[in-house]
Amino acid sequence: MKYPRRKNMNDQLNVLLADLEVFYHKLQSFHWYVAGEMFFQIHAKLEEYYDMVSEQVDEVAEMILMNEGKPVSLLTDFKSLSNIQESKNEFHGEVDLVLKEVKNDFESLLMEVKAIKKAADEEDNYLVSAKMDDYISSYSKQIWMLKQFLYK
């Protein structure tokens, strides 16, 4: 998935905010609907992920406000801006499929925050650049760990 440069930094951050919000709800849905012999481990891991993403939602919204922008806050805006697809309300007994989808979403977020960091660096926006470094590190670690779990 490509993330074209938006009009300005706040537009890019609002897309990230929308992606994080949709991802949060997707993780929560997976958390509720995961099933099978790995239930306890995966249920707890998904909760850890959505707690992490929930904190990032707030950080990105506040970053937009610090940049004198206006964060989107309506569910319709989140859905229309997001690159991440919602999950279905159904039980997921195939844990590998759930975690592959989570890994793919983290990979999508990683590409997005790298593009935002590049744009922030070009604009000398140190606030955004530094936070994107944190997200790059976090998403890279989550992707690595998921790859290790899914390794066959």
Side-chain angles (χ1 to χ4, degrees), residues 32-57:
W32 291 335
Y33 285 103
V34 72
E37 65 183 63
M38 295 286 298
F39 169 79
F40 290 108
Q41 297 91 333
I42 304 307
H43 183 76
K45 190 62 173 176
L46 291 166
E47 183 174 2
E48 179 185 317
Y49 287 152
Y50 74 69
D51 285 344
M52 175 188 77
V53 171
S54 175
E55 185 175 316
Q56 293 172 354
V57 165

Side-chain angles (χ1 to χ4, degrees), residues 54-145:
S54 175
E55 185 175 316
Q56 293 172 354
V57 165
D58 193 52
E59 289 172 347
V60 171
E62 289 176 352
M63 200 178 325
I64 294 167
L65 291 165
M66 287 186 273
N67 276 324
E68 299 179 5
K70 186 176 178 182
V72 294
S73 61
L74 300 176
L75 294 176
T76 55
D77 292 337
F78 292 141
K79 285 184 70 173
S80 70
L81 288 174
S82 182
N83 297 299
I84 293 181
Q85 299 299 309
E86 293 179 297
S87 67
K88 296 179 179 159
N89 291 338
E90 58 188 35
F91 284 97
H92 305 280
E94 295 185 43
V95 170
D96 284 6
L97 294 178
V98 168
L99 295 182
K100 281 179 188 175
E101 193 164 339
V102 171
K103 179 186 71 68
N104 291 342
D105 289 339
F106 273 124
E107 289 172 337
S108 178
L109 288 168
L110 178 61
M111 289 188 331
E112 186 172 4
V113 297
K114 284 180 176 180
I116 292 171
K117 177 175 175 49
K118 183 176 180 179
D121 287 344
E122 290 171 5
E123 295 177 15
D124 293 329
N125 188 326
Y126 305 113
L127 169 72
V128 172
S129 180
K131 186 51 72 178
M132 293 307 110
D133 284 335
D134 294 342
Y135 294 167
I136 289 167
S137 176
S138 175
Y139 300 156
S140 296
K141 183 173 183 177
Q142 302 313 320
I143 292 164
W144 167 73
M145 293 177 87

Side-chain angles (χ1 to χ4, degrees), residues 1-6 15 19 83 108-109 111-112 115:
M1 183 176 298
K2 295 183 181 178
Y3 296 96
R5 298 260 339 242
R6 306 283 178 201
V15 172
D19 285 341
N83 297 299
S108 178
L109 288 168
M111 289 188 331
E112 186 172 4

